[in-house]
């Protein structure tokens, strides 16, 4: 979820000017810095990548490049570049903090905790750092013991743009989305996408969303962001958050840049024979603060909402207003410190049983925004409890609403920008099942060369789509166990610094609850002089550019290089014997160089790699010139390898 949605949600920032002075002939760095200061991070990153591809790149260029990817929420790339940034011992301590935050966002909780502690030791511990460390400790436990929530991406309504905030009203669901730019020309400069609008979709059995369209209602006829939406039980009254369309109300300065800002306001829409009549919430104060994210109690007598109005516990808090005898809403009251923190609370929803769900970054959590729950009403609540994994993830998880409760299950919708989605923010349906009997998946991690058990390997359990289901560390004898469902397919991935990862695929078809399925993972140790083959790296005929399928494999090598910062390699490419010898040598050199260039673009220093093309000089079989061989035999020789030069 984009940062502007959070501080406070849907805050509109419009850049007025920057500190970069125009020049008649701006240099590449001038252009990169200007784009960076204008928040055009994707374009700035492309220029910074060119600048840092040198023997002695400027530290400021590396820092800005890493920050570009962090602000674009591309945490994988951000991690790569922060590794380079921190190679300089004089680096600003804030970079270590940013690196720790990025590691946490990439679910590397043990590593993140270590870096947070290093930052605290150097810069002094704070409540914010203590919170981050507690979140890392908790996340490790939660990923080892996931809840029985089952999440499904609602791919029929999700797009490459943002969709979030599903709210059920009868047989349809309202949600917020970014429209196609062809339909809406008015766009938000930060994202380059149109301003948010309210959509509706049909709500079918099993919480499946279908047939989505932009809601044909007057509240969508606003110049800026509209949504999210809440409703009364009947669907006749809607509480809609929208960005104030009037004159900008604040001017803020940051790093010599000026912004105009717009706050949020809450509007109440009542349906009169198909016409929506609007009434502003009595406590909108757009000149002072934002109000939005409404949630109505089941009896319709208490309206909860989010605001950064004075008198709160932190940034944005959950507040409430009670309905008066005359039907108006009473003076807002803070919902109290049991749920509100020194951070930001938002996206409240409440069930008829008095269960509150909300998102926060102010309590220990797995990511930035986590979903929490509490029991109570108004200002009296039980302690906020994290909903744990898989509801929460290293990303932003929010807008958790329940629309169906039975003795055995609980179902509804939530939103997340976690990995594996279709866009920046996606809507997920969920089902929570009471714990049931399962199959035990048991395994051992081994050293491939010695065949001895290997302890302290990170073992991840994934489904057949590659979604992370659980994660733990192998024990002293290399053992690990997961509880899994019957009639399902799984992938198990083992990783450890200093080793090449290994994975295994298995399934529980035909097994009964209580049965055990076993797997073995063999991790290959990195040693000087040892050569490793990178399987499934293919090139188009007579080409040397890196294809998308090859990039996925090379990303694995990026991870190895990043996890082993002293590792230096020769990256080699080989051809089969078909074609002229000299031509094959030239082509293989270009392919090896293209692979090195790709790793450089992913944050690996060029001086850690040597590109070497061997043509057909190192064939692995009998298929030399003049010998007739099968395509499979020739394919064996067309390979990409890396050899450890230093470790």
């Amino acid at each position: 979820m984009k940062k502007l949605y959070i501080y406070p949600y849907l805050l509109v920032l419009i850049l007025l000017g920057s500190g970069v002075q125009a020049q008649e002939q701006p240099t590449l760095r001038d252009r990169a810095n200007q784009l960076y200061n204008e928040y055009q991070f994707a374009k700035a990153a492309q220029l910074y990548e060119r600048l840092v591809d040198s023997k002695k790149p400027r530290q400021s260029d590396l820092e800005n490049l890493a920050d570009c990817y962090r602000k674009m929420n591309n945490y994988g790339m951000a991690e790569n570049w922060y590794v380079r940034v921190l190679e300089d011992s004089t680096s600003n301590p804030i970079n270590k903090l940013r690196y720790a935050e990025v590691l946490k966002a990439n679910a590397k909780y043990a590593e993140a905790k270590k870096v947070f502690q290093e930052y605290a030791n150097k810069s002094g511990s704070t409540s914010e750092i203590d919170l981050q460390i507690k979140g890392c400790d908790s996340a490790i436990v939660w990923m080892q013991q996931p809840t029985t929530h089952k999440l499904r991406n609602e791919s029929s309504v999700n797009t490459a743009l943002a969709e979030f905030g599903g709210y059920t009203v009868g047989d349809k669901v309202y949600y917020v989305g970014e429209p196609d730019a062809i339909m809406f020309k008015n766009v938000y400069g930060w994202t380059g996408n149109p301003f948010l609008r309210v959509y509706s979709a049909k709500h079918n059995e099993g919480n499946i969303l279908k047939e989505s369209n932009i809601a044909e209602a007057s509240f969508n006829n606003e110049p800026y962001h509209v949504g999210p939406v809440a409703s009364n039980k009947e669907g006749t009254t809607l509480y809609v958050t929208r960005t104030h369309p009037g004159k900008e109300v604040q001017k803020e300065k940051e790093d010599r840049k000026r912004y105009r800002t717009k706050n949020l306001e809450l509007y109440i829409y009542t349906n009169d024979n198909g016409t929506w009549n609007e009434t502003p919430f009595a406590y909108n104060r757009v000149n002072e603060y934002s109000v939005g994210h409404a949630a109505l109690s089941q009896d319709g007598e208490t309206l909860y909402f989010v605001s950064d109005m004075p008198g709160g516990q932190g940034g944005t808090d959950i507040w409430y207003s009670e309905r008066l005898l005359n039907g108006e809403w009473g003076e807002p009251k803070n919902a109290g410190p049991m749920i509100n923190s020194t951070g930001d609370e938002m996206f409240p929803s409440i069930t008829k049983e008095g269960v509150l769900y909300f998102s926060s970054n102010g309590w220990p959590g797995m990511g930035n925004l986590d979903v929490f729950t509490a029991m109570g009403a108004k200002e009296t609540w039980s302690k906020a409890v994290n909903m744990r994994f898989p509801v929460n993830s290293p990303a932003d998880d929010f807008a958790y609403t329940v629309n169906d409760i039975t003795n055995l299950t609980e179902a509804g919708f939530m939103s997340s920008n976690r990995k594996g989605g279709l866009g920046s923010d996606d809507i997920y349906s969920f089902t929570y099942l009471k714990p049931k009997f399962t199959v035990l998946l048991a395994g051992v991690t081994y050293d491939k060369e010695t065949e001895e058990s290997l302890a302290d390997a990170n073992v991840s359990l994934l489904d057949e789509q590659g979604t992370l289901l659980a994660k733990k560390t192998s024990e002293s004898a290399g053992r690990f166990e997961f509880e899994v469902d019957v009639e399902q397919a799984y992938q198990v991935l083992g990783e450890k610094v200093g080793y090449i990862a290994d994975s295994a695929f298995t399934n529980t078809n035909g097994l009964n609850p209580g049965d055990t399925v076993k797997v073995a993972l063999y991790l290959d140790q990195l040693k000087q002089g040892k050569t490793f083959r990178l399987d499934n790296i293919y090139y188009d005929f007579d080409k040397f550019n890196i294809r998308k399928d090859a990039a996925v494999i090379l990303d694995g090598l990026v991870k190895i290089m990043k996890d082993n910062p002293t590792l230096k390699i020769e990256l080699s490419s080989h051809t089969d014997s078909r074609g002229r010898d000299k031509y094959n040598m030239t082509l293989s050199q270009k392919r090896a160089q293209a692979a090195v260039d790709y790793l450089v673009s992913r944050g690996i220093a060029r001086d850690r790699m040597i590109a070497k093309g061997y043509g057909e000089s190192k064939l692995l079989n009998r298929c030399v010139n003049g010998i007739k061989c099968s395509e499979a035999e020739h394919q064996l020789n067309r390979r990409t390898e890396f050899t450890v030069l230093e470790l």
Side-chain angles (χ1 to χ4, degrees):
M1 183 169 138
K2 302 157 191 69
K3 185 176 180 181
L4 66 139
Y5 293 171
I6 301 175
Y7 300 113
Y9 177 74
L10 299 184
L11 176 66
V12 175
L13 292 85
I14 305 171
L15 185 66
L16 293 179
S18 72
V20 177
Q21 298 298 318
Q23 299 180 16
E24 291 184 3
Q25 294 181 330
T27 65
L28 181 64
R29 183 169 290 106
D30 291 332
R31 298 201 306 273
N33 290 339
Q34 182 167 351
L35 289 168
Y36 177 84
N37 290 330
E38 292 175 352
Y39 290 89
Q40 298 188 57
F41 299 120
K43 293 180 179 179
Q46 295 176 2
L47 301 188
Y48 283 127
E49 285 181 358
R50 292 167 57 186
L51 289 167
V52 301
D53 187 8
S54 65
K55 291 185 178 180
K56 292 184 179 180
R58 284 193 187 183
Q59 184 71 0
S60 60
D61 293 337
L62 287 168
E63 290 175 351
N64 286 349
L65 178 54
D67 198 48
C68 281
Y69 281 113
R70 182 179 69 89
K71 288 175 176 174
M72 288 190 290
N73 292 340
N74 188 336
Y75 298 117
M77 287 294 290
E79 180 184 338
N80 295 347
W81 289 108
Y82 274 116
V83 170
R84 292 282 304 277
V85 168
L86 293 174
E87 289 175 356
D88 185 344
S89 59
T90 64
S91 172
N92 190 319
I94 194 65
N95 292 318
K96 186 172 285 290
L97 176 60
R98 297 289 179 252
Y99 179 49
E101 293 170 346
V102 165
L103 285 171
K104 187 180 179 186
N106 287 330
K108 297 183 176 181
Y109 294 110
E111 298 93 325
K113 177 184 176 180
K114 179 181 178 182
V115 179
F116 277 126
Q117 289 174 328
E118 291 173 354
Y119 174 80
N121 292 339
K122 187 172 183 178
S123 302
S125 181
T126 65
S127 58
E128 290 79 7
I129 299 302
D130 292 340
L131 181 73
Q132 294 278 24
I133 291 173
K134 289 178 182 177
C136 290
D137 286 335
S138 297
I140 292 171
V141 175
W142 295 335
M143 294 192 75
Q144 292 175 349
Q145 302 171 348
T147 69
T148 57
H149 284 82
K150 301 297 182 184
L151 274 62
R152 181 184 66 239
N153 187 291
E154 290 300 310
S155 56
S156 63
V157 300
N158 290 323
T159 69
L161 302 175
E163 289 83 24
F164 59 92
Y167 189 92
T168 305
V169 181
D171 63 350
K172 65 181 177 182
V173 171
Y174 287 110
Y175 67 92
V176 183
E178 290 176 328
D180 190 298
I182 296 175
M183 300 173 60
F184 286 78
K185 301 300 183 183
N186 193 17
V187 300
Y188 185 22
W190 186 301
T191 65
N193 299 327
F195 288 103
L196 296 166
R197 290 295 178 262
V198 175
Y199 285 69
S200 66
K202 285 190 176 181
H203 177 217
N204 297 333
E205 185 178 353
N207 263 359
I208 298 174
L209 298 182
K210 297 287 186 181
E211 301 177 30
S212 63
N213 291 286
I214 294 179
E216 294 181 358
S218 58
F219 51 74
N220 263 333
N221 299 325
E222 295 295 322
Y224 297 119
H225 295 303
V226 180
V229 168
S231 171
N232 63 351
K233 291 186 293 185
E234 298 76 18
T236 56
T237 302
L238 299 181
Y239 300 84
V240 181
T241 302
R242 68 189 206 190
T243 304
H244 176 62
K247 185 178 179 181
E248 293 76 20
V249 296
Q250 300 177 29
K251 290 187 178 180
E252 300 177 358
K253 292 184 178 180
E254 178 187 343
D255 299 332
R256 293 187 296 163
K257 297 183 288 294
R258 295 183 296 120
Y259 304 93
R260 298 195 303 249
T261 65
K262 290 178 177 292
N263 280 332
L264 301 183
E265 54 189 349
L266 185 64
Y267 267 74
I268 304 170
Y269 289 81
T270 54
N271 194 319
D272 183 11
N273 294 321
T275 300
W276 291 101
N277 299 315
E278 69 174 49
T279 303
F281 183 52
Y283 303 99
N284 290 335
R285 299 287 186 274
V286 293
N287 291 327
E288 302 172 34
Y289 50 78
S290 286
V291 174
H293 293 201
L296 189 66
S297 64
Q298 292 293 313
D299 62 9
E301 297 301 310
T302 307
L303 182 67
Y304 297 92
F305 58 90
V306 172
S307 178
D308 59 344
M309 65 175 63
Q313 310 293 328
T316 57
D317 278 14
I318 297 173
W319 297 72
Y320 71 94
S321 181
E322 297 179 83
R323 193 184 297 275
L324 304 176
L325 294 177
N326 62 3
E328 301 295 327
W329 291 108
E331 194 77 22
K333 298 178 182 178
N334 191 275
M338 295 302 287
I339 58 174
N340 290 320
S341 69
T342 56
D344 297 287
E345 281 68 47
M346 54 194 69
F347 294 103
S349 69
I350 191 160
T351 70
K352 61 183 179 181
E353 291 79 14
V355 180
L356 174 72
Y357 298 99
F358 64 97
S359 291
S360 174
N361 60 14
W363 302 104
M366 298 185 67
N368 185 29
L369 281 180
D370 271 23
V371 178
F372 293 80
T373 184
M375 288 284 295
K378 300 174 184 177
E379 76 280 0
T380 304
W381 299 96
S382 62
K383 183 179 179 181
V385 176
N386 192 291
M387 291 289 288
R388 303 172 55 176
F389 182 78
V391 169
N392 291 318
S393 72
D396 292 313
D397 304 293
F398 56 102
Y400 186 101
T401 61
V402 176
N403 59 25
D404 184 35
I405 300 176
T406 69
N407 290 332
L408 296 177
T409 65
E410 182 177 288
F413 297 99
M414 62 169 288
S415 304
S416 179
N417 64 351
R418 65 186 60 195
K419 290 182 179 179
L422 298 182
S424 55
D425 297 318
D426 278 1
I427 296 173
Y428 291 79
S429 58
F430 68 82
T431 303
Y432 174 68
L433 303 174
K434 290 188 175 181
K436 58 183 180 179
F437 292 109
T438 56
V439 171
L440 186 66
L441 192 158
V444 180
T445 51
Y446 294 97
D447 183 300
K448 184 176 182 179
E449 185 174 327
T450 66
E451 296 190 353
E452 295 179 354
S453 61
L454 186 65
D456 299 323
N458 293 319
V459 184
S460 299
L461 177 70
L462 304 99
D463 66 14
E464 55 186 336
Q465 285 78 40
T467 302
L468 180 64
L469 302 177
K471 188 174 183 178
K472 57 179 59 178
T473 303
S474 61
E475 299 174 355
S476 57
R479 295 190 180 93
F480 60 87
E481 293 180 349
F482 296 102
E483 289 185 356
V484 297
D485 294 330
V486 296
E487 303 298 327
Q488 298 292 329
Y490 296 97
Q491 179 186 4
V492 187
L493 173 66
E495 301 172 290
K496 186 172 183 177
V497 173
Y499 287 80
I500 303 296
D502 187 31
S503 63
F505 294 87
T506 188
N507 64 70
T508 55
N509 297 340
L511 298 180
N512 297 311
D515 288 347
T516 299
V517 59
K518 295 184 178 181
V519 297
L521 300 176
Y522 292 88
L523 282 66
D524 207 353
Q525 188 174 11
L526 294 167
K527 290 184 178 180
Q528 188 170 352
K530 196 171 183 178
T531 298
F532 300 87
R533 179 169 178 169
L534 299 173
D535 290 324
N536 302 318
I537 291 189
Y538 303 121
Y539 297 87
D540 292 327
F541 178 73
D542 204 30
K543 303 291 184 182
F544 55 87
N545 58 291
I546 302 300
R547 295 180 1 180
K548 288 185 178 180
D549 52 358
V552 173
I553 307 301
L554 288 174
D555 284 341
L557 181 54
V558 170
K559 186 178 187 306
I560 294 170
M561 299 291 288
K562 182 175 59 183
D563 291 343
N564 300 272
T566 61
L567 175 64
K568 294 186 177 182
I569 64 170
E570 176 191 271
L571 189 55
S572 58
S573 179
H574 304 260
T575 69
D576 59 39
S577 61
R578 293 176 293 185
R580 291 177 299 168
D581 293 2
K582 183 177 180 181
Y583 177 81
N584 284 339
M585 186 68 73
T586 301
L587 180 62
S588 65
Q589 181 63 39
K590 289 180 178 179
R591 287 176 171 176
Q593 190 62 56
V596 166
D597 291 343
Y598 179 82
L599 266 67
V600 170
S601 76
R602 313 308 277 182
I604 306 303
R606 190 177 293 275
D607 60 8
R608 296 178 60 192
M609 299 171 288
I610 295 174
K612 179 66 175 177
Y614 285 96
E616 58 185 86
S617 65
K618 290 191 174 185
L619 300 176
L620 298 177
N621 53 27
R622 63 183 181 87
C623 299
V624 297
N625 292 334
I627 300 296
K628 186 176 182 179
C629 292
S630 67
E631 181 59 34
E633 289 176 309
H634 283 305
Q635 179 62 59
L636 184 64
N637 291 316
R638 296 196 302 272
R639 66 197 188 276
T640 301
E641 299 173 334
F642 75 91
T643 301
V644 178
L645 300 178
E646 295 181 27
L647 183 63

